[in-house]
Each structure stands twice: as C-alpha cells, then as structure tokens.
C-alpha cells in the first residue's frame, strides 16, 4: 500500500526524511482493527517527528499521520481516537498513562491506505460529519476541547485569548470557544488570518503582542516563546494559561514574579481522552460548529502539504486523501 514514511530526521531539512512509497499492509492482531483510511490530516506533530523533536531516531522508519477517518472491517464509518494507551495506568485518563503513544509515535500512522489501531480507539462517525471534517478532529480539535473545557473550564461569558490564529489547534479553539458563548480575542502576525478569525466570531483580532481591550480569564497558548510574555500580560489576576505546544520555542523567560504575585495558573495539556472526543462530537452536533479546512491534497502530494505548513501558509487544517482518488469527504 502507498504510505508516507519518516525514514530520517533533520532540523534544517525535515522533508529530506519523508519518503512516499509502498509498504506492507498492516497485519491483523487480536483486539485491533484495520481501517481503510478515507481522509487524514496534517499536524505539527508530523513535522516535529521529521525534525527529530520528541521522536527517538531508533523508532524510524515509521508511517506518519496522527488523524484518520475511514471505514472499518465491518463496513462502518469511523474516526480514530489517536491516543493509544491504558486509561487504568493513567488513573482513568489515558493521556496520563506514562506509556501512552500518539498514533505515529510507536505505531504506524494514518498517511497510508490502511491503518491498524486498537478496536477501542474507533468511534462511530456521525452521519452529519463528513470524512474530511472527521479527520480534522482527533488531534487539533480534541486538543482544543481539552484545553478549553477540561483544563481551563471555560463557560459562557469568559474572556478567552487564542494566540496564533490560523493554526489547527488555534482555529479549533476559536470556533469552540465562540460556540460555547465565550468572548474571544485572537492574535496573528497575518492580517489575512486576523480577518479570518473575525469571520469566526472573535470580538477582536489584533497583531501579535498588541494590547487587548481588556484582560482575559484564559489564554490558549500553542506558540511559545514568541507570545509567552504577551500571554501573561494579557491575563487577569487569578487567570489561567493553558499550554499545548510551543512552535516558536520551548524556553521563554518564565516571569515567575508575575505568576506568583498575580496568582496566575499555568496548566499543561496534551491530546484528549476518548470520552472528550465523544463530548466534542456532541458539542458540534448541538452548535453546528465545524472544522476549518484550508485545502485537500492526495497523498501523492504530501511533500507540498508539509511545505505549506513549514511556510505558515495554512489557515485551519490540510486534509490528505491516502487513496489518491477524488474524496470530497461527503458522508457515504
């Protein structure tokens, strides 16, 4: 089967290690299911793997791709929860299992025609959700859901700042927070992306680092060094910053004096549980909110997709069709 595989890693030239070619189809195993992948989507995690960040080289080669929606062995339409873990080992939360692995970390991922995952990780795809939309949800939208509603406990009327409007998690956080009745602010260096955020319902979208009209209750932070100082300054006393990434750098000045004096909370967040992904689907059904899809590409053009991500030219998600055929993502 055709697959996109990481065979080497380079911080300077990550795409040099991305190989498109034939690999063996996954073998059946007890407790696991094989899914024919209809749609997948690109995540920063895929790029980090190629750059050698958080992925040991001894785990190469490995098929990339964390997100998948497709058809299981019984002919049922499914989306795949990408956290492969034992919830008991995480005291009821599989994201806290020390041995957890995101799809494509220890097991071949979704940039392939077929995918094998534990049967527990399959979630029925609602008829109102297209394959392309479903493929956008598990990593980016699941991460945003956990950040907003599990970690920060956002409720209607809360003031929320989302840094870096345009990214997959950021765009999801904006749309989900607006749907939940929060007052949302967003930042971006790009006027085009700020205008896009305004169309999603934010109260204001400002250039990165610019002062907001008011301090916020919650900051959704995935950018890191470039926005960290602004995140803390924009936060009210007692407010919460939730971090699920640091694309611009991992080690900004901590500003501990501000944090303890203003009693601000800094929370980490990684992925989502299967239950949170199901709850996300219920929220989407109730509110009508849907993922932002920048474009779709066949798997044969995966290198182009990665380059668009590297260049920062995506707003929302890029969907990949592993079969190479014309998949509109419409429900079947």
């Amino acid at each position: 089967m055709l697959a996109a595989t990481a065979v080497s890693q380079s911080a300077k030239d990550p795409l040099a290690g991305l190989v498109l070619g034939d690999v063996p189809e996954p073998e059946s195993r007890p407790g696991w299911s094989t899914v024919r992948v209809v749609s997948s989507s690109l995540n920063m995690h895929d790029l980090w793997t190629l750059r050698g960040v958080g992925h040991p080289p001894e785990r190469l080669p490995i098929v990339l791709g964390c997100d998948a929606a497709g058809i299981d062995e019984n002919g049922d339409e499914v989306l795949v929860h990408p956290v492969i873990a034992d919830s008991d080992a995480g005291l009821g939360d599989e994201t806290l299992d020390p041995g957890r692995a995101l799809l494509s970390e220890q097991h071949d991922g979704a940039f392939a025609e077929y995918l094998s995952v534990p049967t527990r990780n399959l979630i029925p795809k609602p008829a109102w959700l297209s394959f392309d939309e479903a493929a956008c949800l598990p990593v980016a939208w699941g991460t945003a859901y956990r950040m907003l509603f599990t970690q920060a406990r956002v409720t209607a009327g809360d003031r929320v700042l989302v840094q870096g409007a345009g990214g997959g998690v950021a765009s999801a956080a904006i749309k989900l927070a607006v749907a939940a009745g929060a007052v949302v602010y967003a930042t971006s260096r790009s006027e085009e992306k700020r205008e896009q955020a305004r169309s999603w319902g934010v109260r204001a979208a400002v250039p990165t680092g610019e002062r907001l009209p008011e301090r916020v209750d919650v900051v959704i932070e995935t950018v890191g060094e470039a926005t960290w100082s602004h995140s803390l300054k924009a936060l009210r006393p007692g407010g919460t910053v939730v971090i699920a990434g640091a694309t611009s750098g991992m080690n900004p000045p901590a500003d501990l004096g501000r944090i303890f004096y203003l009693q601000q909370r800094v929370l980490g967040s990684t992925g989502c549980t299967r239950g949170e992904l199901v709850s996300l689907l219920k929220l989407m059904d109730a509110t009508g909110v849907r993922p932002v899809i920048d474009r779709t590409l066949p798997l044969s053009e995966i290198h182009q997709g990665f380059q668009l991500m590297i260049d920062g030219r995506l707003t929302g998600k890029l969907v990949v069709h592993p079969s190479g055929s014309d998949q509109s993502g419409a429900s079947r």
Side-chain angles (χ1 to χ4, degrees):
M1 67 175 181
L2 186 66
T5 305
V7 299
S8 64
Q9 298 169 317
S10 169
K12 294 183 178 180
D13 187 12
L15 297 191
L18 179 64
V19 172
L20 187 67
D22 286 330
V23 301
E25 292 185 9
E27 297 181 358
S28 60
R29 53 194 291 192
W32 289 55
S33 294
T34 299
V35 176
R36 179 172 69 83
V37 181
V38 175
S39 300
S40 184
S41 70
L42 193 60
N43 288 285
M44 280 300 302
H45 185 277
D46 302 304
L47 187 56
W48 291 129
T49 298
L50 290 169
R51 285 175 169 162
V53 178
H55 191 100
E58 58 267 23
R59 290 184 186 166
L60 300 180
I62 197 161
V63 177
L64 295 178
C66 310
D67 284 327
I71 300 172
D72 70 7
E73 297 156 327
N74 300 318
D76 296 324
E77 298 179 354
V78 296
L79 65 153
V80 177
H81 174 51
V83 179
I84 299 174
D86 179 359
S87 60
D88 289 339
L91 301 179
D93 183 337
E94 60 260 41
T95 69
L96 299 179
D97 174 7
R100 75 180 187 276
L102 191 66
L103 196 61
S104 81
E105 289 182 342
Q106 296 179 20
H107 309 280
D108 282 336
F111 291 156
E113 294 177 276
Y114 292 93
L115 169 69
S116 180
V117 293
T119 302
R120 175 189 181 275
N121 288 60
L122 300 185
I123 296 173
K125 183 183 77 65
W128 48 263
L129 191 69
S130 74
F131 281 109
D132 283 4
E133 291 168 337
C136 297
L137 300 183
V139 172
W141 281 65
T143 295
Y145 182 94
R146 182 178 177 88
M147 293 175 80
L148 287 166
F149 305 118
T150 301
Q151 305 289 46
R153 300 181 181 179
V154 167
T155 58
D158 283 349
R159 270 55 180 166
V160 177
L161 167 62
V162 180
Q163 297 280 20
V169 174
S171 62
I174 290 170
K175 299 199 79 174
L176 288 171
V178 169
V183 175
V184 183
Y185 297 97
T187 69
S188 176
R189 293 174 298 176
S190 163
E191 172 54 30
E192 180 182 356
K193 291 182 179 180
R194 294 196 298 270
E195 185 58 36
Q196 187 72 63
R198 295 183 191 108
S199 74
W200 300 334
V202 301
R203 176 162 291 186
V206 302
T208 302
E210 185 172 297
R211 187 183 182 94
L212 299 180
E214 60 181 332
R215 286 189 174 182
V216 298
D217 303 292
V218 173
V219 179
I220 298 300
E221 175 64 82
T222 60
V223 180
E225 287 185 15
T227 56
W228 181 248
S229 176
H230 182 251
S231 290
L232 294 182
K233 291 175 181 177
L235 193 65
R236 68 162 174 82
T240 302
V241 180
V242 186
I243 310 165
T247 57
S248 67
M250 300 285 186
N251 295 293
D255 201 359
L256 294 179
R258 175 183 295 273
I259 292 171
F260 79 71
Y261 188 74
L262 297 180
Q263 301 183 69
Q264 296 171 333
R265 298 191 305 156
V266 178
L267 299 177
S269 191
T270 298
C272 71
T273 65
R274 187 186 189 280
E276 287 165 340
L277 188 53
V278 171
S279 294
L280 168 62
L281 291 174
K282 293 179 180 178
L283 175 61
M284 293 175 65
D285 186 25
T287 63
V289 65
R290 296 291 184 271
V292 180
I293 297 176
D294 186 284
R295 70 192 72 193
T296 65
L297 290 175
L299 182 58
S300 59
E301 297 178 18
I302 190 68
H303 287 80
Q304 177 187 339
F306 271 97
Q307 193 62 55
L308 289 167
M309 175 171 278
I310 291 170
D311 295 341
R313 292 167 57 193
L314 298 174
T315 299
K317 298 290 289 179
L318 187 149
V319 172
V320 177
H321 293 147
S323 70
S325 60
D326 180 17
Q327 299 287 357
S328 66
S331 296
R332 298 166 189 270

